[in-house]
Amino acid sequence: MTNIQFISKSVQTAVINIQKTVKLLQEDCTITFISRYRKDTTGNLDEVQIEQISKLQTVYEVIVKRKESILKSIDEQGQLIPELNKKIQESFDLQELEDLYLPFKKKKKTRADVAREKGLEPLAKIILAQNNDNVDFIATQYLNTKVLNEDEALQGARDIIAEWINENIYVRKQLRRLYQRKAVIETKEVKKKKEISATNPVRVQNSDRVEDDSKKYEHYFDWAEPLTKAPSHRLLAMLRAESEGFVKLNVSVEKQEALDFIEENIIKNARSESKPHLELAIKDSYKRLLEPAISNEALQEAKANADANSIQVFANNLGQLLLAPPLGEKRILAIDPGFRSGCKVVCLDENGTLLYNENIYPHAPQNETAMAMKKIRSMVNAYQIDAISIGNGTASRETEFFIKKIAFDKLVQVFVVSEAGASVYSASKIAREEFPNYDVTVRGSVSIGRRLSDPLAELVKIDPKAIGVGQYQHDVDQTKLKEELDKTVIRCVNSVGININTASKHLLSYVSGIGEKLAENIVQYRSENGPFTDRKQLKKVPRLGDKAYQQGVAFIRIKGGKNPLDNSAVHPEAYVIVEKMAKDLKFTVTEIIGNKEKITLIKPENYITPEIGLLTLKDIIKELEKPGLDPRKTAKIFEFDANVKTIKDLKTGMVLPGIVNNITNFGCFVDIGIKESGLVHISQLRAGFVSDVNEVVKLQEHVQVKVTEVDEERKRIQLTMVL
């Protein structure tokens, strides 16, 4: 089977499209570039389809490499018979390949190996053949210095048969199917953790923590459900409870059903004297070898699916957060609120450059409210501030109320933004490089301000796992999580495009084809030579070759440059065509950009070339109508209910404004302006059945919710959007 045949089994598109896409990928073209600028080549495949082809190509390569390794190993053992070689060559299933390799796999000495060394394999073959009526007598013929009696001989033979059953490909395959259909996952509470002495304060504190954790998992102290029905969040919760020692977890099927199936396939002669020995071997094989292996496989497969599900939830949330509405190029006063330590205030210009910083103390214990108001007014006037950004952490609501009491000389918009990850950024190497002469409090405040002007440009500097929009993010496969989150960031950055003259090296590194090193080189070139005025200048950046230029150039923007197309998503390879379009209309390129009336006169079919087809031409015309259009919406002001400041202020039946701050498979969490977020279960998102939370809400969406339950002790709030 070729790679194209392998991929075409899973991707629904013409084989020629797969062939051309694989060729582009092998030429080091990025998925982002292919989906955007090679639509005519791929048959208009989108990013998801191209990514699927890329993944399947990788899987194919892994399978081929594993087959080569298996064949080499078996051949070196001198046991690669033609029939086995054919089976391995024809298989493109990793699990099946491992089953074929199992008998030849190097492993610790087994009970069957010991029995073989005692010369008992012939006896095992006689028993398995089931055509001899005097098994006990035959066993006496295998007594020697290592086998002292008949029972020892029969036990050794059964050990060998048990291993053969375990290595039976058909048995393993069918047992897997049985587990896939009927496996049940069970959890039971383990013994209480050892009592902790009250004489040791540290141990008492730890005991309280263990008790709190225990309450989190008490739902799983006696739990059972079909493995296929366990949603990802519940499975990951059970696995975490087991890893922390609160429950014992088991995955199983009905034992007798499994044994009956194996007996049906192994015992061919029910009247043979071999039958009782085969029954014992089957029970032993299932209990000691098959059940632990297949059960673990089933659990690992379920875990892998749960991981994939949770990683996708995280990626979706991250994508929505990165593409949150920006305020744009405005002068911003940002505040990291606090009580005793005061509020750290910074002033930023339109490009996010730090102009000034100061501390104010409007809250208790200092209560320097009048002085703080005077300072804020002075800063707003001195630095021509357009908007104020307040972090949503400690003292956020109090600071918001304080700011809104100030009478400014002009309209100043006030926003509350998420602080999630700001502390991680402020202590990071990136922040130290940006602000070597300022402490973490100033850096954190700058991050809060920049998040308002451009969330994407600021959040790319922070490890996505620190932003807090995941579901059991620490329990999933960390390598796969990082891969998916990186892809999400790349997708978001390139969908928006970046201003090459203001972008940080961290933002630039996510541009198609660029990467960290070239991003550093671009920033260095910019600092030495001044702002870019032409996309062609990118070719002068050290180590930025033709391939990197081709892949990344159309995703960067140059405002006010020499060529107006440099501030659009039109690729330079199509500039000649746009110039011809303008010439045919007897206009300049500048005159047709943004002029819908003139653009409608263009007939794309007249400009098809061997390299650029109709699909790309239609994209070019669409881009000319609104060049460099930012796909993100505009930031909107939001206000929480002024009467709700803590969980104690909540009453059942209250209808409150809120902001969706996390989405999971079982619902969404909503910030209602207090420390604790409330949960809207998926069943409470709207009237009727909801299969996907993202169908109803998006991250950072402004919503109205009703309080249905408040548990002050456990700090839990239940909400509904069915008003």
Side-chain angles (χ1 to χ4, degrees), residues 310-594:
S310 293
I311 288 170
Q312 195 56 55
V313 168
F314 196 161
N316 289 342
N317 287 350
L318 178 63
Q320 292 174 27
L321 196 62
L322 292 174
L323 295 178
L327 185 63
E329 295 179 352
K330 304 285 185 182
R331 288 185 163 241
I332 294 171
L333 182 147
I335 305 174
D336 186 358
F339 288 116
R340 184 174 297 277
S341 59
C343 300
K344 174 58 70 176
V345 183
V346 298
C347 296
L348 310 174
D349 70 8
E350 296 87 345
N351 296 319
T353 304
L354 177 61
L355 303 173
Y356 181 75
N357 76 92
E358 184 173 345
N359 266 31
I360 58 172
Y361 301 89
H363 312 307
Q366 293 90 345
N367 290 316
E368 298 174 359
T369 309
M371 177 63 75
M373 283 186 173
K374 185 178 178 181
K375 287 183 177 180
I376 292 292
R377 274 177 56 87
S378 175
M379 284 184 270
V380 166
N381 291 331
Y383 297 101
Q384 301 177 335
I385 298 299
D386 300 305
I388 294 176
S389 177
I390 303 169
N392 69 343
T394 304
S396 174
R397 297 296 301 282
E398 291 81 0
T399 303
E400 182 187 0
F401 296 147
F402 155 72
I403 290 294
K404 287 182 177 178
K405 289 177 183 176
I406 302 174
F408 295 111
D409 297 334
K410 64 172 185 175
L411 177 64
V412 178
Q413 295 178 300
V414 180
F415 297 85
V416 176
V417 302
S418 172
E419 287 184 7
S423 60
V424 174
Y425 161 77
S426 63
S428 69
K429 181 183 176 184
I430 296 171
R432 290 195 299 273
E433 288 175 354
E434 284 193 286
F435 303 104
N437 301 320
Y438 294 96
D439 65 18
V440 292
T441 60
V442 175
R443 298 171 194 157
S445 301
V446 171
S447 181
I448 288 168
R450 287 176 172 178
R451 287 180 189 205
L452 175 60
S453 64
D454 192 343
L456 176 62
E458 191 60 22
L459 292 175
V460 293
K461 302 173 187 175
I462 303 169
D463 181 349
K465 289 181 283 187
I467 298 174
V469 291
Q471 172 183 293
Y472 289 94
Q473 63 191 53
H474 301 294
D475 300 275
V476 302
D477 185 309
Q478 295 301 297
T479 302
K480 290 180 179 176
L481 176 63
K482 186 179 186 309
E483 285 176 2
E484 192 60 39
L485 296 184
D486 283 347
K487 287 176 187 174
T488 301
V489 177
I490 290 168
R491 192 158 48 243
C492 291
V493 168
N494 290 286
S495 70
V496 172
I498 60 105
N499 184 337
I500 195 170
N501 288 321
T502 59
S504 66
K505 67 179 181 181
H506 314 289
L507 184 60
L508 278 164
S509 69
Y510 287 104
V511 172
S512 169
I514 299 300
E516 289 184 21
K517 185 58 186 172
L518 287 180
E520 286 182 15
N521 293 352
I522 290 171
V523 172
Q524 183 66 30
Y525 181 90
R526 188 175 69 195
S527 65
E528 292 173 357
N529 298 278
F532 286 84
T533 58
D534 192 312
R535 278 175 169 172
K536 291 176 185 175
Q537 282 180 269
L538 270 174
K539 293 182 177 181
K540 297 179 181 179
V541 173
R543 302 182 67 181
L544 199 154
D546 291 342
K547 178 57 73 171
Y549 178 82
Q550 179 201 46
Q551 300 298 300
V553 65
F555 299 102
I556 64 121
R557 306 282 184 269
I558 299 175
K559 293 186 176 181
K562 295 176 181 177
N563 190 329
L565 292 175
D566 284 352
N567 193 33
S568 75
V570 177
H571 198 287
E573 64 190 12
Y575 282 8
V576 173
I577 290 177
V578 176
E579 289 163 4
K580 189 174 188 311
M581 289 175 175
K583 186 178 179 181
D584 290 348
L585 291 172
K586 296 182 171 49
F587 293 111
T588 64
V589 171
T590 303
E591 287 172 331
I592 67 168
I593 289 178

